[in-house]
Amino acid sequence: MDMRRSIAVLAEEAEHQIQGQVWEVSSGDCALAREAEAGLRDVVGPPDVQEALPQIKRLEHLRETLAVMAVALARTHGRMAWFLSGALNALEPVLHWRALPADRGGTFGTVLASPEQYTQAEDAVRRLQDVLAQINRVSPGAG
């Protein structure tokens, strides 16, 4: 499953759980979602902006996305943690990418990603931004 699809599946599950009152979004969930969404928007911008960047900068931005998500995950528990963990897992392929040629020696298992893979990952992050914004808009405890 590609990253876009993985994040879409997570988004659907989150929306279903919130609407079905399985996930009762707390004020802490809202605040964390707001912070994470802002952090993600700071590092991954609109498609035209991202695609104009050199691949090394695009990879840097995607790695920063993982850092934002990891910090958010470290600060929560329950369904929000499960959601963030799923998002990190979906974006995990980014950890295996490199933007520099290998020249000599090993690459520690990293691979050069294609421009399409960068676009796919950035689209997944944008979808994640949207879901976090939706979570932030839920009235705490209203589910």
Side-chain angles (χ1 to χ4, degrees), residues 22-131:
V22 173
W23 180 357
E24 292 190 19
V25 177
S26 69
S27 60
D29 290 342
C30 289
L32 191 62
R34 183 175 48 255
E35 289 175 27
E37 184 228 348
L40 295 180
R41 288 199 194 278
D42 283 346
V43 292
V44 173
D48 58 330
V49 173
Q50 290 302 122
E51 290 171 8
L53 296 172
Q55 283 191 349
I56 197 164
K57 289 303 279 181
R58 291 175 81 180
L59 181 55
E60 179 182 308
H61 289 190
L62 288 167
R63 288 178 179 160
E64 286 181 44
T65 294
L66 294 171
V68 167
M69 298 302 294
V71 168
L73 175 60
R75 297 176 47 212
T76 191
H77 59 277
R79 293 190 190 280
M80 178 60 103
W82 304 338
F83 172 76
L84 295 173
S85 183
L88 277 163
N89 188 51
L91 297 171
E92 183 267 343
V94 169
L95 294 173
H96 301 281
W97 295 355
R98 61 184 162 82
L100 300 173
D103 294 332
R104 299 185 342 245
T107 64
F108 301 98
T110 60
V111 297
L112 292 170
S114 70
E116 294 79 20
Q117 288 172 302
Y118 281 98
T119 299
Q120 179 191 119
E122 291 159 352
D123 287 347
V125 171
R126 286 185 203 93
R127 179 66 172 111
L128 187 54
Q129 292 167 354
D130 293 342
V131 175

